[in-house]
Amino acid sequence: MPQPRLVRVSLATAAGLALLLAGCGAPASTGASTGSPSTNGRVRTPQERAAAFTLNAEGVRALGYRADWTGFPFVNPGARIAIVDAAADPVAVLESGGNISLLERNTGALIATTAVGTSLTKFTGVTRVPAGVVVVSESEAFTIAPQTGNLNNREAFEQVVNTRPLTLGSTLILGTARGQVLAHTLGRAIKAWGYATTASFSVAPTTVGEGLIGAVSDAGEVIFLTTGGSLTGR
């Protein structure tokens, strides 16, 4: 019999795997949460939240996985988990109410929760740069310290962006609503370069081979750019 695969972070899937990043509600402030409000307004402890969460362990095993931990990020009442980035430590969990939670990758323990927007903010992605965890909305980039959850930087984009970021070092490459592939250098709060097309972008740019960026506009135009923004092919 094949050995079960280790699952450190599990997401809700169509196959029915339970959401291990569970729970709803916590104080909307930077720092580890002490609990969450219940329906009657009483604050529940993390232990009570964990006790109220049921995992279908048999269902997980049937899929060939073994659950390793259960984490409880902050989720506003009525909100949902919108983006999970488990590419690095800590795990970053963004909920639709505008709060980003950081969880220890090995244990699922909550490190901190920081508000970076509201339920009206349109977020497009979460990524990592040398300076920390970056939350991207359609108009701004928020840089969060991974050890503390502190908001270290907040920068506006020159244009409204529509896509997840492609990250090259400290530069974010994004597609905009006005048909531009935009490169924004974090820490300097400036547009590094931009390449304009005739249609908007809703799919994130990607790397293609060595030193090239590929992007597809909503009109189906495919372009290839150098990391400096020069067109090499269409």
Side-chain angles (χ1 to χ4, degrees), residues 166-210:
L166 167 64
T167 306
L168 300 177
S170 293
T171 299
L172 306 180
I173 315 294
L174 311 111
T176 77
R178 292 168 57 185
Q180 187 171 118
V181 177
L182 172 70
H184 179 94
T185 302
L186 292 168
R188 299 175 62 190
I190 62 171
K191 172 183 173 180
W193 53 262
Y195 185 86
T197 67
T198 58
S200 62
F201 289 88
S202 56
V203 177
T206 186
T207 53
V208 181
E210 294 267 338

Side-chain angles (χ1 to χ4, degrees), residues 68-107:
D68 191 46
W69 52 259
T70 303
F72 293 88
F74 171 75
V75 181
N76 269 307
R80 59 181 175 77
I81 291 177
I83 300 173
V84 177
D85 178 19
D89 191 16
V91 175
V93 183
L94 181 70
E95 53 98 62
S96 59
N99 295 277
I100 181 81
S101 294
L102 305 179
L103 283 71
E104 291 184 359
R105 194 175 188 183
N106 291 328
T107 66

Side-chain angles (χ1 to χ4, degrees), residues 66-176:
R66 175 172 64 84
D68 191 46
W69 52 259
T70 303
F72 293 88
F74 171 75
V75 181
N76 269 307
R80 59 181 175 77
I81 291 177
I83 300 173
V84 177
D85 178 19
D89 191 16
V91 175
V93 183
L94 181 70
E95 53 98 62
S96 59
N99 295 277
I100 181 81
S101 294
L102 305 179
L103 283 71
E104 291 184 359
R105 194 175 188 183
N106 291 328
T107 66
L110 178 63
I111 298 170
T113 296
T114 304
V116 292
T118 70
S119 59
L120 300 179
T121 307
K122 180 183 176 182
F123 294 100
T124 67
V126 176
T127 188
R128 311 298 172 103
V129 298
V133 179
V134 178
V135 183
V136 177
S137 76
E138 63 180 358
S139 60
E140 295 179 284
F142 305 84
T143 303
I144 310 297
Q147 300 84 6
T148 63
N150 290 337
L151 177 59
N152 285 346
N153 200 19
R154 179 176 181 173
E155 304 175 21
F157 297 125
E158 184 186 79
Q159 295 186 20
V160 172
V161 304
N162 278 356
T163 72
R164 291 183 294 105
L166 167 64
T167 306
L168 300 177
S170 293
T171 299
L172 306 180
I173 315 294
L174 311 111
T176 77

Side-chain angles (χ1 to χ4, degrees), residues 8-21:
R8 292 202 179 278
V9 180
S10 175
L11 311 183
T13 68
L17 187 60
L19 183 65
L20 299 190
L21 296 171

